[in-house]
């Protein structure tokens, strides 16, 4: 049995987890900083890194305790070293290096975005099914998060080629901004999802743009959709930049319909590109999705429908592993460990992803 301790501090979640044999999550602890950032309606980097410093050791202790293990049982330390906020990444990387050096066990560097695409392979208990089916790869990968919206061709868990990406906002960012415009509390994505799901919500009430960006493009754009939400609420701006209407003029049932219409357009934009990618790459034998927005109810059901239409298996994280977590870091770290991949104590945090 191989036990890997994962550490994740790339943004505003301090997380630690222990994963057995790359698949079974023995513990998964996530300390969210949402309350600290709520008053700013967004993550403040300096506040985030200070909070990581305070939380990191108790969270690691808790992950070991929940797994009923001690540090002596751990075979390797995996850490998300890119991409993210540099000051936040630094805390996790420093903790991981210190543990690896003092325990004399391997240090594994993991790309956070790639790890999101591993989250769907994690299980809470020994998997009854052999989820790594012989035909999983090459797969079509979709990462939808607060910082990334990309489509990949996946040849192996660590071998990804990006074939499309947003040219402006990430989809999660668009959800969060649309939610803020609709007066919903931070973090907006899950709250907008909840509002869009309420009874009688009409997802066709507002005709919002779904960007296509040319006939063959697999890229995406969400900034036009965001602006359309703004105009739906406030009307078009006057010449001096002022608006004649505000959210206060919009009745609750229209807000609900606008949330549902936004969600429909945002999800359609992604599904459309996946359809296009599948049309152009018939070799794909599965669809693998990951990232915070895979928690979205509509995206989950439309991805399931797409997979069914195409007769492909869909690998999508359980709800606990959609948002940032360290289990996905430990999981992908285990795969890298088995391949002999090792980081040295020179490992530096990097704000951008490899692809
Ligand atoms: O993957 P993640 O935890 O962090 C990044 O790597 O960015 O993703 C966070 C994003 C946020 O924008 C959040 O609003 C969005 O995921 N999100 C959702 C839902 N749950 C989380 N967006 C739409 N619907 C949801 N249910
Ligand atoms: Zn993430």
């Amino acid at each position: 049995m191989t036990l890997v301790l994962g550490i994740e501090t790339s943004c505003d979640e301090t997380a630690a987890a222990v994963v057995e044999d790359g698949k079974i999550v023995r513990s998964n602890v996530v300390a969210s900083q949402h309350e600290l950032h709520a008053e700013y309606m967004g993550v403040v980097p300096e506040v985030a890194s200070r909070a990581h410093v305070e939380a990191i050791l108790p969270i690691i202790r808790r992950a070991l305790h929940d797994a009923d293990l001690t540090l002596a049982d751990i075979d390797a330390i995996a850490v998300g070293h890119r991409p993210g906020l540099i000051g936040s990444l630094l805390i996790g990387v420093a903790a991981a290096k210190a543990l690896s050096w003092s325990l004399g066990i391997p240090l594994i560097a993991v790309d956070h975005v790639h790890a999101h695409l591993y989250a769907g392979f994690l299980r809470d208990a020994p998997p009854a099914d052999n989820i790594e089916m012989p035909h999983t790869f090459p797969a079509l990968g979709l990462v939808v998060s607060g910082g990334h919206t990309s489509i990949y061709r996946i040849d192996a868990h660590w071998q990804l080629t990006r074939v499309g990406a947003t040219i402006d906002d990430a989809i999660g960012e668009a959800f969060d901004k649309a939610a803020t415009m609709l007066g919903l509390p931070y973090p907006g994505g899950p709250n907008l999802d909840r509002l869009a799901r309420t009874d009688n919500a009409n997802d066709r009430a507002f005709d919002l743009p779904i960007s296509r960006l040319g006939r063959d493009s697999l890229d995406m754009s969400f900034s036009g959709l965001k602006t359309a939400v703004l105009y739906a609420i406030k009307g078009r701006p006057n010449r001096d930049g002022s608006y004649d209407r505000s959210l206060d003029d919009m009745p609750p049932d229209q807000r609900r319909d606008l949330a549902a219409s936004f969600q429909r357009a945002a999800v359609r934009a992604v599904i459309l590109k996946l359809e296009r990618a599948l049309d152009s790459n018939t070799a794909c034998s599965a669809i693998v999705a990951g990232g915070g927005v895979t928690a979205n109810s509509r995206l989950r059901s439309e991805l399931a429908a797409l997979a069914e239409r195409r007769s492909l298996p869909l690998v999508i994280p359980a709800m606990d592993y959609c948002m940032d977590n360290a289990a996905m870091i430990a999981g992908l770290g285990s795969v890298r460990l088995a391949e002999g991949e090792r980081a040295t104590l020179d490992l530096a945090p990097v704000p951008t992803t490899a692809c």
Side-chain angles (χ1 to χ4, degrees), residues 160-178:
L160 297 123
T161 312
R162 196 170 62 192
V163 293
T166 179
I167 57 165
D168 42 52
D169 295 344
I171 184 170
E173 198 183 340
F175 262 95
D176 292 338
K177 287 188 176 148

Side-chain angles (χ1 to χ4, degrees), residues 277-305:
L278 287 168
D279 285 341
S280 59
N281 193 343
T282 44
C284 276
S285 13
I287 300 171
V288 180
V293 184
T294 51
N296 184 267
S297 56
R298 180 155 194 157
L299 181 61
R300 289 182 89 82
S301 60
E302 293 215 15
L303 280 172

Side-chain angles (χ1 to χ4, degrees), residues 18-206:
V18 179
V19 169
E20 181 185 319
D21 294 334
K23 284 215 173 84
I24 305 160
V25 182
R26 293 279 298 264
S27 65
N28 181 40
V29 184
V30 183
S32 165
Q33 303 174 4
H34 285 164
E35 279 171 25
L36 287 177
H37 301 287
E39 69 172 294
Y40 308 102
M41 298 299 277
V43 178
V44 182
E46 179 65 21
V47 172
S49 37
R50 281 167 191 269
H52 285 308
V53 173
E54 285 173 17
I56 188 82
L57 293 181
I59 292 300
I60 291 172
R61 263 189 226 113
R62 187 61 204 285
L64 290 166
H65 175 268
D66 288 1
D68 211 9
L69 297 167
T70 69
L71 278 176
D73 301 313
I74 299 298
D75 297 299
I77 309 289
V79 63
H81 77 301
R82 74 174 178 221
L85 299 169
I86 192 75
S88 290
L89 289 167
L90 202 55
I91 313 304
V93 169
K97 282 185 193 175
L99 284 171
S100 151
W101 180 76
S102 58
L103 296 166
I105 57 175
L107 174 68
I108 316 288
V110 173
D111 186 299
H112 175 101
V113 176
H114 301 179
H116 270 307
L117 287 174
Y118 192 81
F121 294 90
L122 296 169
R123 292 294 179 271
D124 289 327
D129 52 338
N130 181 11
I131 43 176
E132 190 132 4
M133 302 154 276
H135 298 304
T136 300
F137 299 126
L140 185 68
L142 170 73
V143 173
V144 277
S145 74
H148 296 85
T149 308
S150 304
I151 298 175
Y152 294 93
R153 177 190 157 91
I154 313 177
D155 288 297
H157 288 299
W158 65 97
Q159 229 177 298
L160 297 123
T161 312
R162 196 170 62 192
V163 293
T166 179
I167 57 165
D168 42 52
D169 295 344
I171 184 170
E173 198 183 340
F175 262 95
D176 292 338
K177 287 188 176 148
T180 302
M181 289 188 257
L182 284 162
L184 298 171
Y186 175 88
N191 286 314
L192 192 149
D193 185 5
R194 222 165 285 131
L195 181 61
R197 248 185 295 142
T198 47
D199 287 344
N200 302 324
N202 178 2
D203 63 8
R204 311 273 176 147
F206 291 84

Side-chain angles (χ1 to χ4, degrees), residues 151-325:
I151 298 175
Y152 294 93
R153 177 190 157 91
I154 313 177
D155 288 297
H157 288 299
W158 65 97
Q159 229 177 298
L160 297 123
T161 312
R162 196 170 62 192
V163 293
T166 179
I167 57 165
D168 42 52
D169 295 344
I171 184 170
E173 198 183 340
F175 262 95
D176 292 338
K177 287 188 176 148
T180 302
M181 289 188 257
L182 284 162
L184 298 171
Y186 175 88
N191 286 314
L192 192 149
D193 185 5
R194 222 165 285 131
L195 181 61
R197 248 185 295 142
T198 47
D199 287 344
N200 302 324
N202 178 2
D203 63 8
R204 311 273 176 147
F206 291 84
D207 186 20
L208 301 176
I210 298 172
S211 74
R212 285 175 170 75
L213 297 176
R215 221 162 47 95
D216 301 323
S217 172
L218 295 180
D219 288 338
M220 292 159 275
S221 163
F222 295 95
S223 64
L225 176 57
K226 207 176 60 183
T227 308
V229 170
L230 177 75
Y231 290 175
I233 296 169
K234 297 185 165 192
R236 290 201 166 255
N238 299 317
R239 296 187 84 163
D240 64 357
S242 65
Y243 293 93
D244 294 329
R245 285 190 276 132
S246 77
L247 183 63
D248 294 338
D249 300 314
M250 189 173 236
D253 58 336
Q254 274 187 35
R255 294 185 196 188
R256 177 203 63 199
D257 290 350
L258 183 54
S261 302
F262 165 84
Q263 184 161 284
R264 173 178 180 273
V267 169
R268 286 306 311 154
V270 171
I271 298 292
L272 204 124
K273 295 298 163 137
L274 289 180
E275 296 262 21
R276 208 174 259 184
L278 287 168
D279 285 341
S280 59
N281 193 343
T282 44
C284 276
S285 13
I287 300 171
V288 180
V293 184
T294 51
N296 184 267
S297 56
R298 180 155 194 157
L299 181 61
R300 289 182 89 82
S301 60
E302 293 215 15
L303 280 172
L306 170 68
E308 202 178 320
R309 275 200 303 282
R310 299 282 179 151
S311 306
L312 292 172
L314 171 66
V315 182
I316 190 166
M319 289 302 263
D320 278 352
Y321 310 124
C322 292
M323 306 272 278
D324 287 352
N325 66 83

